[in-house]
Amino acid sequence: MIGDREGRTPDVTVALPERAERTPRPGASRHDVVVVGGGHNALVAAAYLARAGLHVTVLERRDEVGGAAVSATPFAGLDARLSRYSYLVSLLPYTIVRNLELVVELRSRPVSSYTPLRRGGRDTGLLVERKLGAATEESFRRITGGDADFQAWRRFYEQLGRLARALAPTLLNPLLGRGQLEALAREEGAGQAWEWVFEQPIGVAVEQHFGDDAVRGVVLTDALIGTDSWAGDASLKQNRCFLYHVMGNGNGEWRVPVGGMGSVAEALHRSAENAGARILTGAEVLHIDPDAGGGRAEVTYRDAAGTEQTVQAGYVLAGVAPAVLTRLLGRGGGAQGPHPQGTQLKINMLLDRLPRLKSGADPHVAFAGTFHIDEGAGQLRDAYQRSHDGALPDPLPSEVYCHTLTDRSILGKDLLKRPDVQTLTLFSLHTPPGAASKDEMVRRALAGLDAYLAEPLADCLAVDADGAPCLEAKTTEDLQAELAMPGGHIFHRDLSWPYAERADQVGKWGVETGIDNVLICGAGARRGGGVSGIPGHNAARAVLDRVADAGRRRSSGI
């Protein structure tokens, strides 16, 4: 775990030894800002800064930008453009979309979730519509035997909605203190929700409000996705995860990016380049020297031809994980805590048809939202404990959703002629590294889904041009190798609270590193995590504030 016993996540600080003043290296090109990494947050920062008239260069190790927010066609001979890593969007503020003139469409799903269950010897399921209606009320009554949990659901999420409306607008502003943020929440009438989320493990509030184990589990999954934790964790890192899952744009709705996640990255790429940013792919950063002389930083990278290059800039923005930034700076004294470690598995699939369910529910409804597999509160607790002991849980908690039930534009024209063809994305929790092979993880995840199907999923999988089943799995080891995410941690490190935790952080942007000309613009920043663009915006604002302040000092003769 990163953070102290109270769950505070430290900002990045890197110890700088005393060193002699250096003259700039001959031949190094000079820029205002160099952005290390080309993920979606980095592109947001580059677009804002270039639009402000600064000379910006982005250095991306891979041959495409977007980081985890990319699409791919992984199945030979089949034109299905799947969101390879990240797959839904909630936290991207409308302000960023508007400011950067992004051509993106985020589409609502008709269903929030469906949870298949076996109760009283029969197969059934809990349906939660995006807009709660009679079908949801009847489903709660059938599963729980009464109306108490349904009414509690309404009250619980009404309070969380108030909290989201109070806090979401602060994410694009300088940091407030905890007391200031709490005052905003209470002014919005969200005092109860503040206490649930900020004062005690979220599992306490969930247990107090809901009597049914399955209902509790549906709520708690938002606290656990991408976080190695459980509902009662005293560090409250699961609460921070929960907060970001329910806070996006003041309503917490998770929407489908039309065209796939790659469409978001492509829109950001266009915005940055149109504003004048220079974006280099195949450029692997090797070292960052924040004190290269003349108040500038120097970045050394290997270009696509394998040649080492250097570039100097007034500021370096790091779109990479804090642990990677520490390595690039060559400093071992940073307050980084343990190496980040994710515990998840993602499986992308293309199907000839959706499978039938034992419950008899329409699969076009059940898979339209989040399909919860073995995610009751008790199952989540047991899975965490087994994972914490280094073993792969059995059953393995997972969730599934179908992109093409909301957006079929990711399918090529040949696949569009086949109306039954669909995609499925499965995301498993609590998969500790080294506990099992990738094949065993995939087998157990699919077995969990099969337990609720009236036919084996294997019978529904499409096959590619080589005759192989259309299934692609990504483990934490894959994320580390392909995206340079330490430990495959999808948030780069444990999420932080969205407020200043020290007096000297109030009024800052949450992107500071302790080195004046090096800032974080990736998910590891305060108020980072998820496909949001928020850290990129905030890093850009921090640079522009400093540039403006320097200009005022010069004009004043200071």
Side-chain angles (χ1 to χ4, degrees), residues 73-118:
T73 51
F75 308 126
L78 295 174
D79 188 6
R81 196 164 179 263
L82 280 65
S83 300
R84 174 160 265 172
Y85 307 108
S86 302
Y87 51 99
L88 290 171
V89 179
S90 172
L91 284 163
L92 177 63
Y94 302 127
T95 298
I96 292 177
V97 175
R98 182 176 62 250
N99 287 350
L100 300 185
E101 301 177 280
L102 303 179
V103 182
V104 296
E105 180 184 352
L106 304 176
R107 190 172 293 172
S108 294
R109 300 181 293 173
V111 171
S112 176
S113 69
Y114 179 81
T115 304
L117 299 165
R118 187 159 182 81

Short mmCIF file of all heavy atoms in Angstrom, two decimals, residues 73-118:
data_model
loop_
_atom_site.label_atom_id
_atom_site.label_comp_id
_atom_site.label_asym_id
_atom_site.label_seq_id
_atom_site.Cartn_x
_atom_site.Cartn_y
_atom_site.Cartn_z
N THR A 73 -7.49 -3.82 -33.45
CA THR A 73 -8.19 -4.90 -34.15
C THR A 73 -7.38 -6.18 -33.91
O THR A 73 -6.53 -6.54 -34.73
CB THR A 73 -8.31 -4.60 -35.66
OG1 THR A 73 -7.02 -4.25 -36.16
CG2 THR A 73 -9.26 -3.43 -35.91
N PRO A 74 -7.63 -6.86 -32.80
CA PRO A 74 -6.76 -7.96 -32.38
C PRO A 74 -7.02 -9.29 -33.07
O PRO A 74 -6.21 -10.22 -32.92
CB PRO A 74 -7.06 -8.08 -30.88
CG PRO A 74 -8.47 -7.61 -30.75
CD PRO A 74 -8.65 -6.55 -31.78
N PHE A 75 -8.11 -9.41 -33.84
CA PHE A 75 -8.48 -10.71 -34.39
C PHE A 75 -8.28 -10.73 -35.90
O PHE A 75 -8.89 -9.94 -36.65
CB PHE A 75 -9.93 -11.03 -34.03
CG PHE A 75 -10.21 -10.90 -32.55
CD1 PHE A 75 -11.24 -10.11 -32.09
CD2 PHE A 75 -9.41 -11.55 -31.63
CE1 PHE A 75 -11.49 -9.97 -30.74
CE2 PHE A 75 -9.64 -11.43 -30.26
CZ PHE A 75 -10.68 -10.63 -29.82
N ALA A 76 -7.42 -11.61 -36.35
CA ALA A 76 -7.00 -11.66 -37.75
C ALA A 76 -8.19 -11.78 -38.70
O ALA A 76 -9.05 -12.64 -38.54
CB ALA A 76 -6.05 -12.85 -37.96
N GLY A 77 -8.21 -10.89 -39.69
CA GLY A 77 -9.22 -10.94 -40.74
C GLY A 77 -10.58 -10.43 -40.34
O GLY A 77 -11.52 -10.49 -41.14
N LEU A 78 -10.73 -9.91 -39.12
CA LEU A 78 -12.03 -9.41 -38.65
C LEU A 78 -11.89 -7.96 -38.22
O LEU A 78 -11.07 -7.63 -37.36
CB LEU A 78 -12.54 -10.26 -37.48
CG LEU A 78 -12.86 -11.72 -37.82
CD1 LEU A 78 -13.22 -12.49 -36.56
CD2 LEU A 78 -14.01 -11.79 -38.83
N ASP A 79 -12.68 -7.10 -38.83
CA ASP A 79 -12.59 -5.67 -38.58
C ASP A 79 -13.48 -5.29 -37.40
O ASP A 79 -14.58 -4.77 -37.55
CB ASP A 79 -13.01 -4.90 -39.84
CG ASP A 79 -12.74 -3.40 -39.71
OD1 ASP A 79 -12.13 -3.01 -38.70
OD2 ASP A 79 -13.17 -2.64 -40.60
N ALA A 80 -12.97 -5.58 -36.22
CA ALA A 80 -13.65 -5.21 -34.97
C ALA A 80 -12.66 -4.39 -34.16
O ALA A 80 -11.64 -4.92 -33.70
CB ALA A 80 -14.10 -6.44 -34.19
N ARG A 81 -12.94 -3.10 -33.98
CA ARG A 81 -12.00 -2.17 -33.35
C ARG A 81 -12.34 -2.05 -31.87
O ARG A 81 -13.12 -1.20 -31.46
CB ARG A 81 -12.07 -0.82 -34.06
CG ARG A 81 -10.92 0.11 -33.79
CD ARG A 81 -10.89 1.24 -34.83
NE ARG A 81 -9.79 2.16 -34.56
CZ ARG A 81 -9.93 3.30 -33.91
NH1 ARG A 81 -11.12 3.65 -33.43
NH2 ARG A 81 -8.89 4.09 -33.72
N LEU A 82 -11.75 -2.91 -31.06
CA LEU A 82 -12.08 -3.00 -29.64
C LEU A 82 -11.25 -2.03 -28.80
O LEU A 82 -10.09 -1.75 -29.12
CB LEU A 82 -11.85 -4.42 -29.12
CG LEU A 82 -12.94 -5.46 -29.41
CD1 LEU A 82 -13.08 -5.72 -30.90
CD2 LEU A 82 -12.63 -6.75 -28.68
N SER A 83 -11.85 -1.54 -27.72
CA SER A 83 -11.11 -0.75 -26.73
C SER A 83 -10.20 -1.72 -25.98
O SER A 83 -10.67 -2.51 -25.16
CB SER A 83 -12.07 -0.05 -25.77
OG SER A 83 -12.94 0.83 -26.46
N ARG A 84 -8.91 -1.65 -26.25
CA ARG A 84 -8.02 -2.71 -25.79
C ARG A 84 -7.81 -2.72 -24.28
O ARG A 84 -7.76 -3.77 -23.66
CB ARG A 84 -6.68 -2.59 -26.52
CG ARG A 84 -5.62 -3.56 -26.01
CD ARG A 84 -4.51 -3.75 -27.03
NE ARG A 84 -4.75 -4.93 -27.86
CZ ARG A 84 -4.02 -5.25 -28.93
NH1 ARG A 84 -3.04 -4.45 -29.32
NH2 ARG A 84 -4.28 -6.35 -29.60
N TYR A 85 -7.67 -1.56 -23.67
CA TYR A 85 -7.38 -1.50 -22.24
C TYR A 85 -8.53 -0.78 -21.51
O TYR A 85 -9.44 -1.43 -21.01
CB TYR A 85 -6.04 -0.78 -22.00
CG TYR A 85 -4.88 -1.36 -22.77
CD1 TYR A 85 -4.33 -0.68 -23.86
CD2 TYR A 85 -4.32 -2.59 -22.42
CE1 TYR A 85 -3.26 -1.20 -24.58
CE2 TYR A 85 -3.26 -3.13 -23.13
CZ TYR A 85 -2.73 -2.43 -24.21
OH TYR A 85 -1.68 -2.96 -24.92
N SER A 86 -8.51 0.55 -21.45
CA SER A 86 -9.64 1.29 -20.88
C SER A 86 -10.85 1.14 -21.79
O SER A 86 -10.70 1.01 -23.00
CB SER A 86 -9.28 2.77 -20.75
OG SER A 86 -8.13 2.94 -19.94
N TYR A 87 -12.06 1.22 -21.21
CA TYR A 87 -13.20 0.93 -22.07
C TYR A 87 -14.45 1.77 -21.81
O TYR A 87 -15.34 1.82 -22.64
CB TYR A 87 -13.56 -0.55 -22.01
CG TYR A 87 -13.73 -1.14 -20.63
CD1 TYR A 87 -14.98 -1.31 -20.05
CD2 TYR A 87 -12.63 -1.57 -19.90
CE1 TYR A 87 -15.13 -1.87 -18.79
CE2 TYR A 87 -12.76 -2.14 -18.65
CZ TYR A 87 -14.02 -2.28 -18.10
OH TYR A 87 -14.16 -2.83 -16.85
N LEU A 88 -14.58 2.46 -20.67
CA LEU A 88 -15.71 3.32 -20.39
C LEU A 88 -15.21 4.67 -19.89
O LEU A 88 -14.08 4.79 -19.41
CB LEU A 88 -16.65 2.70 -19.35
CG LEU A 88 -17.45 1.47 -19.79
CD1 LEU A 88 -18.16 0.85 -18.60
CD2 LEU A 88 -18.46 1.84 -20.88
N VAL A 89 -16.05 5.70 -19.99
CA VAL A 89 -15.65 7.05 -19.61
C VAL A 89 -16.68 7.65 -18.66
O VAL A 89 -17.89 7.61 -18.94
CB VAL A 89 -15.51 7.96 -20.84
CG1 VAL A 89 -15.12 9.38 -20.43
CG2 VAL A 89 -14.49 7.39 -21.82
N SER A 90 -16.20 8.20 -17.54
CA SER A 90 -17.09 8.91 -16.62
C SER A 90 -16.52 10.25 -16.21
O SER A 90 -17.22 11.24 -16.12
CB SER A 90 -17.36 8.07 -15.37
OG SER A 90 -18.06 8.79 -14.39
N LEU A 91 -15.21 10.30 -15.95
CA LEU A 91 -14.60 11.45 -15.31
C LEU A 91 -14.19 12.57 -16.26
O LEU A 91 -13.79 13.64 -15.81
CB LEU A 91 -13.37 11.00 -14.52
CG LEU A 91 -13.66 10.29 -13.20
CD1 LEU A 91 -12.43 9.52 -12.72
CD2 LEU A 91 -14.10 11.28 -12.14
N LEU A 92 -14.23 12.36 -17.57
CA LEU A 92 -13.81 13.39 -18.51
C LEU A 92 -14.77 14.58 -18.44
O LEU A 92 -15.94 14.47 -18.83
CB LEU A 92 -13.79 12.83 -19.94
CG LEU A 92 -13.43 13.81 -21.06
CD1 LEU A 92 -12.01 14.34 -20.89
CD2 LEU A 92 -13.60 13.14 -22.42
N PRO A 93 -14.33 15.74 -17.93
CA PRO A 93 -15.24 16.87 -17.76
C PRO A 93 -15.67 17.48 -19.10
O PRO A 93 -14.88 17.55 -20.05
CB PRO A 93 -14.40 17.88 -16.96
CG PRO A 93 -13.31 17.08 -16.33
CD PRO A 93 -13.00 16.00 -17.33
N TYR A 94 -16.91 17.94 -19.13
CA TYR A 94 -17.40 18.62 -20.33
C TYR A 94 -16.53 19.84 -20.64
O TYR A 94 -16.36 20.23 -21.80
CB TYR A 94 -18.84 19.05 -20.13
CG TYR A 94 -19.80 17.92 -19.81
CD1 TYR A 94 -20.64 17.99 -18.69
CD2 TYR A 94 -19.88 16.79 -20.61
CE1 TYR A 94 -21.52 16.96 -18.38
CE2 TYR A 94 -20.74 15.75 -20.30
CZ TYR A 94 -21.56 15.84 -19.19
OH TYR A 94 -22.41 14.82 -18.88
N THR A 95 -15.98 20.47 -19.60
CA THR A 95 -15.16 21.66 -19.79
C THR A 95 -13.97 21.36 -20.69
O THR A 95 -13.62 22.15 -21.58
CB THR A 95 -14.66 22.19 -18.44
OG1 THR A 95 -15.79 22.57 -17.65
CG2 THR A 95 -13.74 23.39 -18.60
N ILE A 96 -13.31 20.23 -20.48
CA ILE A 96 -12.16 19.87 -21.31
C ILE A 96 -12.58 19.60 -22.74
O ILE A 96 -11.94 20.04 -23.69
CB ILE A 96 -11.42 18.66 -20.70
CG1 ILE A 96 -10.76 19.05 -19.38
CG2 ILE A 96 -10.39 18.10 -21.68
CD1 ILE A 96 -10.06 17.91 -18.67
N VAL A 97 -13.68 18.88 -22.90
CA VAL A 97 -14.19 18.61 -24.25
C VAL A 97 -14.47 19.91 -24.99
O VAL A 97 -14.12 20.08 -26.16
CB VAL A 97 -15.46 17.74 -24.18
CG1 VAL A 97 -16.08 17.55 -25.56
CG2 VAL A 97 -15.15 16.38 -23.56
N ARG A 98 -15.08 20.86 -24.29
CA ARG A 98 -15.43 22.15 -24.91
C ARG A 98 -14.18 22.98 -25.19
O ARG A 98 -14.01 23.52 -26.29
CB ARG A 98 -16.38 22.90 -23.98
CG ARG A 98 -16.86 24.24 -24.54
CD ARG A 98 -17.88 24.89 -23.63
NE ARG A 98 -17.32 25.19 -22.31
CZ ARG A 98 -17.66 24.55 -21.20
NH1 ARG A 98 -18.54 23.58 -21.23
NH2 ARG A 98 -17.12 24.90 -20.04
N ASN A 99 -13.30 23.10 -24.19
CA ASN A 99 -12.11 23.95 -24.36
C ASN A 99 -11.22 23.48 -25.50
O ASN A 99 -10.66 24.30 -26.24
CB ASN A 99 -11.29 23.96 -23.07
CG ASN A 99 -11.93 24.76 -21.96
OD1 ASN A 99 -12.92 25.46 -22.18
ND2 ASN A 99 -11.40 24.64 -20.75
N LEU A 100 -11.07 22.17 -25.63
CA LEU A 100 -10.17 21.63 -26.65
C LEU A 100 -10.88 21.29 -27.94
O LEU A 100 -10.27 20.75 -28.86
CB LEU A 100 -9.46 20.39 -26.09
CG LEU A 100 -8.61 20.61 -24.84
CD1 LEU A 100 -7.87 19.33 -24.46
CD2 LEU A 100 -7.62 21.76 -25.03
N GLU A 101 -12.18 21.61 -28.00
CA GLU A 101 -12.99 21.39 -29.21
C GLU A 101 -12.87 19.94 -29.69
O GLU A 101 -12.64 19.68 -30.88
CB GLU A 101 -12.57 22.37 -30.31
CG GLU A 101 -12.72 23.83 -29.91
CD GLU A 101 -12.24 24.79 -30.98
OE1 GLU A 101 -11.02 25.00 -31.08
OE2 GLU A 101 -13.09 25.32 -31.74
N LEU A 102 -13.06 19.03 -28.75
CA LEU A 102 -12.92 17.61 -29.06
C LEU A 102 -14.18 17.09 -29.74
O LEU A 102 -15.30 17.33 -29.28
CB LEU A 102 -12.67 16.81 -27.78
CG LEU A 102 -11.46 17.21 -26.95
CD1 LEU A 102 -11.36 16.33 -25.72
CD2 LEU A 102 -10.18 17.15 -27.77
N VAL A 103 -14.00 16.37 -30.83
CA VAL A 103 -15.11 15.71 -31.51
C VAL A 103 -15.22 14.30 -30.95
O VAL A 103 -14.63 13.35 -31.47
CB VAL A 103 -14.91 15.71 -33.04
CG1 VAL A 103 -16.11 15.05 -33.72
CG2 VAL A 103 -14.70 17.12 -33.55
N VAL A 104 -15.91 14.17 -29.83
CA VAL A 104 -16.12 12.87 -29.20
C VAL A 104 -17.58 12.75 -28.81
O VAL A 104 -18.24 13.74 -28.50
CB VAL A 104 -15.24 12.67 -27.95
CG1 VAL A 104 -13.77 12.67 -28.31
CG2 VAL A 104 -15.53 13.73 -26.90
N GLU A 105 -18.09 11.54 -28.85
CA GLU A 105 -19.45 11.27 -28.41
C GLU A 105 -19.41 10.18 -27.35
O GLU A 105 -18.85 9.11 -27.58
CB GLU A 105 -20.34 10.81 -29.57
CG GLU A 105 -21.79 10.53 -29.13
CD GLU A 105 -22.66 9.99 -30.24
OE1 GLU A 105 -22.20 9.96 -31.40
OE2 GLU A 105 -23.81 9.59 -29.94
N LEU A 106 -19.98 10.47 -26.20
CA LEU A 106 -20.10 9.51 -25.12
C LEU A 106 -21.57 9.18 -24.96
O LEU A 106 -22.38 10.07 -24.69
CB LEU A 106 -19.52 10.09 -23.82
CG LEU A 106 -18.06 10.56 -23.91
CD1 LEU A 106 -17.63 11.19 -22.60
CD2 LEU A 106 -17.14 9.39 -24.26
N ARG A 107 -21.90 7.91 -25.12
CA ARG A 107 -23.31 7.51 -25.21
C ARG A 107 -23.73 6.77 -23.94
O ARG A 107 -23.01 5.91 -23.43
CB ARG A 107 -23.50 6.62 -26.44
CG ARG A 107 -24.94 6.33 -26.81
CD ARG A 107 -25.00 5.62 -28.15
NE ARG A 107 -24.58 6.50 -29.26
CZ ARG A 107 -24.40 6.08 -30.51
NH1 ARG A 107 -24.56 4.80 -30.81
NH2 ARG A 107 -24.04 6.94 -31.45
N SER A 108 -24.92 7.11 -23.44
CA SER A 108 -25.44 6.46 -22.25
C SER A 108 -25.88 5.03 -22.55
O SER A 108 -26.36 4.72 -23.65
CB SER A 108 -26.65 7.24 -21.70
OG SER A 108 -26.26 8.51 -21.23
N ARG A 109 -25.72 4.17 -21.54
CA ARG A 109 -26.22 2.80 -21.63
C ARG A 109 -27.61 2.74 -21.01
O ARG A 109 -27.87 3.40 -20.00
CB ARG A 109 -25.28 1.84 -20.89
CG ARG A 109 -23.86 1.84 -21.44
CD ARG A 109 -22.98 0.84 -20.69
NE ARG A 109 -22.75 1.23 -19.30
CZ ARG A 109 -22.13 0.47 -18.41
NH1 ARG A 109 -21.69 -0.73 -18.76
NH2 ARG A 109 -21.95 0.89 -17.17
N PRO A 110 -28.52 1.97 -21.57
CA PRO A 110 -29.88 1.92 -21.02
C PRO A 110 -29.94 1.21 -19.68
O PRO A 110 -30.88 1.41 -18.90
CB PRO A 110 -30.67 1.16 -22.08
CG PRO A 110 -29.64 0.32 -22.78
CD PRO A 110 -28.39 1.14 -22.79
N VAL A 111 -28.97 0.35 -19.41
CA VAL A 111 -28.96 -0.46 -18.20
C VAL A 111 -27.73 -0.10 -17.38
O VAL A 111 -26.63 0.06 -17.93
CB VAL A 111 -28.94 -1.96 -18.55
CG1 VAL A 111 -28.71 -2.81 -17.31
CG2 VAL A 111 -30.24 -2.35 -19.24
N SER A 112 -27.89 0.05 -16.08
CA SER A 112 -26.75 0.25 -15.20
C SER A 112 -26.07 -1.09 -14.93
O SER A 112 -24.86 -1.22 -15.14
CB SER A 112 -27.19 0.89 -13.88
OG SER A 112 -26.09 1.01 -13.00
N SER A 113 -26.84 -2.08 -14.47
CA SER A 113 -26.22 -3.38 -14.19
C SER A 113 -27.24 -4.50 -14.16
O SER A 113 -28.45 -4.27 -13.99
CB SER A 113 -25.47 -3.34 -12.85
OG SER A 113 -26.38 -3.25 -11.76
N TYR A 114 -26.74 -5.71 -14.34
CA TYR A 114 -27.53 -6.93 -14.15
C TYR A 114 -26.64 -7.92 -13.41
O TYR A 114 -25.47 -8.12 -13.76
CB TYR A 114 -27.97 -7.54 -15.49
CG TYR A 114 -28.77 -8.82 -15.32
CD1 TYR A 114 -30.13 -8.77 -15.02
CD2 TYR A 114 -28.16 -10.06 -15.44
CE1 TYR A 114 -30.87 -9.93 -14.86
CE2 TYR A 114 -28.90 -11.23 -15.28
CZ TYR A 114 -30.25 -11.15 -14.98
OH TYR A 114 -30.98 -12.32 -14.81
N THR A 115 -27.19 -8.54 -12.37
CA THR A 115 -26.44 -9.50 -11.56
C THR A 115 -27.15 -10.84 -11.57
O THR A 115 -28.22 -10.98 -10.96
CB THR A 115 -26.30 -9.00 -10.12
OG1 THR A 115 -25.69 -7.70 -10.12
CG2 THR A 115 -25.47 -9.95 -9.29
N PRO A 116 -26.61 -11.84 -12.28
CA PRO A 116 -27.24 -13.16 -12.26
C PRO A 116 -27.04 -13.81 -10.90
O PRO A 116 -25.98 -13.72 -10.29
CB PRO A 116 -26.50 -13.91 -13.37
CG PRO A 116 -25.14 -13.28 -13.41
CD PRO A 116 -25.36 -11.83 -13.07
N LEU A 117 -28.08 -14.48 -10.43
CA LEU A 117 -28.05 -15.09 -9.09
C LEU A 117 -28.76 -16.43 -9.12
O LEU A 117 -29.62 -16.68 -9.99
CB LEU A 117 -28.76 -14.18 -8.07
CG LEU A 117 -28.18 -12.78 -7.86
CD1 LEU A 117 -29.18 -11.91 -7.13
CD2 LEU A 117 -26.86 -12.87 -7.10
N ARG A 118 -28.43 -17.25 -8.15
CA ARG A 118 -29.18 -18.48 -7.93
C ARG A 118 -29.76 -18.41 -6.53
O ARG A 118 -29.03 -18.40 -5.54
CB ARG A 118 -28.30 -19.72 -8.10
CG ARG A 118 -29.10 -21.02 -8.04
CD ARG A 118 -28.37 -22.17 -8.69
NE ARG A 118 -29.16 -23.40 -8.66
CZ ARG A 118 -30.14 -23.69 -9.51
NH1 ARG A 118 -30.44 -22.84 -10.48
NH2 ARG A 118 -30.82 -24.84 -9.42
#
